[in-house]
């Protein structure tokens, strides 16, 4: 109960901020210093008790607008005239995967990839760019407006070049049966399955180079494997290709492994599935 003179003050009743478990709160403030040019969110400043003390936030030279710092599960007494809070899900990294963080905020970092990796820069945790340190399986309080987490599977991934056949990860949803032409001029179809593996420490390189697993499939795996089998078929007639299927498979495994090694992707196995030779030839 407060005894407040209504001629001097008015009181507005507002709800407290309750953030449930497995959620985080993204804060946007209306007071503070203007954001610096090129920044999208205010940096973390101390002493304001999780935005519950607006004057301390302003005195610490906090910036107005989107904040990098997030609120974890709990109850917060935040002045709605000072800040608003959006509740979002925590970021989950599944088992057999790692999370590669792309930070849009932070200090400018120094590239840690070395001279051998010339495709993109990677930085240390807390700096702006692709972090060289990955997130292991678990849940993380990530501000999805200032950081993006790209999920990269570290277990073996099966990709099918077979129309109508798709794995649960859906990375091969747009892949289809490969159509090739033999040396004797016949066109036939073959299904191929490629098993790949991305080591944990190489996952940031894949994201820094391609941006996502989907881009890796469309930009590298699809043309590499498709073109290999088209070239291999042109050096053989259909009957010979059928008779030496196991040899073709072993040659494909070795050749594709060499090609993918340049992209920090391991080729575990290459498997030739159904081969559909022309009916008139058979």
């Amino acid at each position: 109960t407060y005894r407040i003179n209504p001629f001097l003050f008015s009181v507005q009743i507002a709800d407290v901020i309750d953030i449930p478990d497995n959620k985080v709160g993204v804060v946007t403030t209306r007071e503070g210093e203007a954001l610096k040019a090129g920044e999208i969110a205010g940096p973390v400043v101390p002493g304001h008790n999780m935005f519950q003390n607006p004057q301390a936030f302003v005195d610490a030279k906090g910036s107005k607008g989107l904040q990098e710092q997030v609120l974890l599960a709990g109850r917060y007494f935040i002045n709605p005239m000072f800040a608003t809070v959006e509740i979002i899900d925590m970021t989950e990294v599944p088992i057999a995967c790692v999370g590669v963080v792309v930070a849009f905020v932070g200090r400018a970092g120094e590239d840690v990839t070395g001279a051998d990796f010339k495709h993109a820069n990677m930085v240390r945790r807390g700096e702006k760019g692709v972090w060289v340190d990955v997130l292991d399986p678990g849940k993380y309080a990530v501000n999805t407006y200032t950081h993006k987490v790209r999920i990269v599977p570290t277990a073996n991934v099966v990709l099918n070049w077979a129309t109508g056949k798709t794995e649960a990860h859906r990375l091969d949803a747009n892949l289809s049966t490969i159509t090739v032409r033999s040396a004797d001029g016949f066109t036939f179809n073959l299904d191929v399955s490629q098993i790949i593996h991305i080591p944990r420490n190489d996952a940031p390189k894949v994201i820094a180079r391609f941006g996502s697993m989907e881009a890796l499939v469309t930009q590298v795996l699809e043309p590499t494997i498709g073109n290999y089998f088209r070239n291999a078929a042109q050096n053989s007639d259909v009957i010979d290709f059928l008779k030496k299927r196991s040899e073709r498979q072993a040659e494909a495994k070795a050749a594709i492994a060499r090609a993918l090694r340049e992209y920090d992707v391991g080729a575990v196995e290459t498997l030739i599935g159904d081969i559909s030779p022309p009916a008139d030839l058979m």
Side-chain angles (χ1 to χ4, degrees), residues 40-111:
I40 65 170
V44 179
V45 296
H48 51 78
N49 191 22
M50 305 301 287
F51 304 98
Q52 296 178 107
N53 189 336
Q55 189 60 52
F57 177 85
V58 173
D59 293 342
K61 299 187 182 302
S63 299
K64 68 175 65 176
L66 178 65
Q67 300 298 307
E68 180 180 352
Q69 184 178 2
V70 296
L71 303 177
L72 300 179
R75 171 168 289 187
Y76 299 89
F77 301 90
I78 296 178
N79 188 336
M81 297 295 182
F82 165 67
T84 58
V85 179
E86 178 185 355
I87 298 176
I88 62 174
D89 294 328
M90 296 186 74
T91 298
E92 181 177 358
V93 179
I95 297 174
C97 296
V98 294
V100 179
V101 180
V102 183
F104 305 128
V105 296
R107 62 185 182 277
E110 180 180 353
D111 180 33

Side-chain angles (χ1 to χ4, degrees), residues 42-268:
V44 179
V45 296
H48 51 78
N49 191 22
M50 305 301 287
F51 304 98
Q52 296 178 107
N53 189 336
Q55 189 60 52
F57 177 85
V58 173
D59 293 342
K61 299 187 182 302
S63 299
K64 68 175 65 176
L66 178 65
Q67 300 298 307
E68 180 180 352
Q69 184 178 2
V70 296
L71 303 177
L72 300 179
R75 171 168 289 187
Y76 299 89
F77 301 90
I78 296 178
N79 188 336
M81 297 295 182
F82 165 67
T84 58
V85 179
E86 178 185 355
I87 298 176
I88 62 174
D89 294 328
M90 296 186 74
T91 298
E92 181 177 358
V93 179
I95 297 174
C97 296
V98 294
V100 179
V101 180
V102 183
F104 305 128
V105 296
R107 62 185 182 277
E110 180 180 353
D111 180 33
V112 296
T113 56
D116 295 336
F117 190 79
K118 303 177 182 179
H119 307 280
N121 293 341
M122 290 189 292
V123 297
R124 296 181 178 85
R125 186 184 293 261
E127 298 174 342
K128 183 183 296 186
V130 180
W131 290 0
V132 70
D133 296 325
V134 298
L135 303 180
D136 290 313
K139 289 188 176 182
Y140 298 88
V142 176
N143 187 336
T144 55
Y145 292 100
T146 60
H147 297 76
K148 293 295 183 185
V149 179
R150 302 296 187 186
I151 303 299
V152 178
T154 53
N156 289 349
V157 176
V158 180
L159 301 170
N160 298 301
W161 276 256
T163 302
K165 185 178 181 180
T166 305
E167 299 293 330
H169 49 63
R170 302 288 297 172
L171 292 173
D172 55 357
N174 296 324
L175 302 179
S176 58
T177 299
I178 301 173
T179 301
V180 300
R181 184 180 297 276
S182 64
D184 49 353
F186 289 97
T187 299
F188 62 99
N189 299 327
L190 70 155
D191 295 342
V192 176
S193 294
Q194 177 66 49
I195 304 175
I196 64 171
H197 173 253
I198 299 176
R200 175 186 181 276
N201 294 334
D202 288 336
K205 295 181 180 179
V206 173
I207 296 302
R209 190 194 298 252
F210 299 106
S212 66
M213 287 293 296
E214 290 78 8
L216 169 66
V217 173
T218 58
Q219 296 177 21
V220 175
L221 295 172
E222 184 176 6
T224 298
I225 293 176
N227 289 336
Y228 172 82
F229 282 103
R230 293 185 186 97
N231 295 336
Q234 289 180 349
N235 298 324
S236 170
D237 57 53
V238 180
I239 302 300
D240 187 62
F241 195 94
L242 290 170
K243 291 169 59 177
K244 298 181 178 179
R245 168 176 170 163
S246 59
E247 296 178 17
R248 301 291 181 191
Q249 185 169 286
E251 294 171 356
K253 176 182 177 181
I256 293 172
R258 288 193 300 269
L260 296 185
R261 197 174 299 122
E262 299 180 5
Y263 302 99
D264 302 298
V265 178
V268 179

